[in-house]
Amino acid sequence: MGAAPQLKLKPERERSLLRRHPWVFSGAVEEVAGSPQSGGTVQVRAADGRFLAWAAYSPASQIRARVWSFDEAEVPGPALFEKRIEIALARRRAEIAAETTNAMRLVHGESDGLPGLIADRYGDALVVQLLSAGCENWRDALVGILRDRSGCARVYERSDTDARELEGLAARSGWIAGAAADGPLKIFEHGVEYEVDLASGQKTGFYLDQRDNRLRVRHLAAGREVLDCFCYTGGFSLSALVGGARSVLSIDASAPALAQAKRNLGLNPIAAGRAEWLEADVFQALRELRREGRQFDFIVLDPPKFAPTSKDAARAARGYKDINLNALKLLRPGGLLATFSCSGGVSPDLFQKIVAGAAADAGASLLLRERYRSAPDHPVRVEFPEGEYLKGLLLERS
Ligand code: SAH
């Protein structure tokens, strides 16, 4: 591959690649030699000419290239993708027992050595997201290998995120292989059943990353009056009910999500009388609940991403502070707060500081009981800290 196009970096700009961080930003590129196509393979070389990595070229993106391999002998192509996908699948098999769930993330992008590729399994259906020019370029090979190796009969594409737009790629979604089954798609997770809408649900249909944190909430919920804010299709709500919560009030702004949550409740042997659902904006609803004098002994806050990157961290911090402060005002002494952030731009350390600030303003003293992260099918690599986007704290009000 001596003829492969090359990205030559500016002096001193090879450092992050030497630490095996897989992104080459446009500002680090001195020169593009040859005429790489969008998503085509380039060699990344340091200013002194030494080989750094094989990467996929993204001409429209600030992330100008994404690394496939740091090994000069490992030329990108189906054989390399097959190897990476095999390793990713083996890791899931080792970490998640088949009786735990039939829904999991099989490939988590950069953290599995496949930048821009997401593959989630829901029963016999696979949902793929091709979020980089490189994945788009190798679409047929990647989808073929994933289908083969996962054994999934049906494949649905959900390449409809903002990340695609940043790569200059049009949104695309629909069945690539097989077709929708007759009834709704059902999954189970830690013994609880849910329906998943692959075509119009959020993300690829379900927030798989919270699986084990939902189980934890279930184990802590017995006898408590629970408030689940940003409940989506009822993940934490149903977990708390199964765990013996006295009552659960669940809030979300999305009517379709709430409708699905209620159907999910009906799939499980849970008495519906303990569940109350509210379609509302959480920021306003928390204030309204306070005016009504409502109190809870367990509150879950699992908001959407307020800060995709650290540029938005200040605005996001105000959002997190607001909901945590107003939730704490509803929490009885001895009550628990499970609070999450899935913003890549807010570090675990910053998140804890924001929550501490909210506690100070609420006049609440909080014991830090547990820390949460994403489930093991969303692995984190130390060389790619961006992969550690989800963090959570379990706090007890004294
Ligand atoms: N806890 C859920 C996932 C939450 S995702 C689970 O375990 O499955 C975040 C949710 O917040 C989405 O359902 C979205 O509809 C909702 N949402 C976003 N902004 C909101 C707002 N301002 N008020 C209420 N809900 C909101």
Side-chain angles (χ1 to χ4, degrees), residues 202 207 214 230-232 235-236 252-254 280-283 302-304:
Q202 297 180 25
Y207 288 82
R214 285 190 281 260
F230 309 97
C231 67
Y232 188 49
F236 283 105
D252 202 280
S254 158
D281 172 49
V282 166
F283 288 83
D302 185 23

Side-chain angles (χ1 to χ4, degrees), residues 189 194 202-203 205-211 214 228-237 239 251-255 257-258 278-285 300-306 323 340 342:
E189 175 194 279
Y194 302 89
Q202 297 180 25
K203 287 183 116 185
F206 201 66
Y207 288 82
L208 296 165
D209 50 0
Q210 289 282 28
R211 177 186 313 114
R214 285 190 281 260
D228 180 12
C229 296
F230 309 97
C231 67
Y232 188 49
T233 57
F236 283 105
S237 322
S239 301
I251 308 176
D252 202 280
S254 158
L258 281 172
L278 179 64
E279 183 187 335
D281 172 49
V282 166
F283 288 83
Q284 291 165 14
V300 177
L301 292 175
D302 185 23
K305 202 176 353 179
F306 291 157
I323 53 174
F340 296 92
C342 60

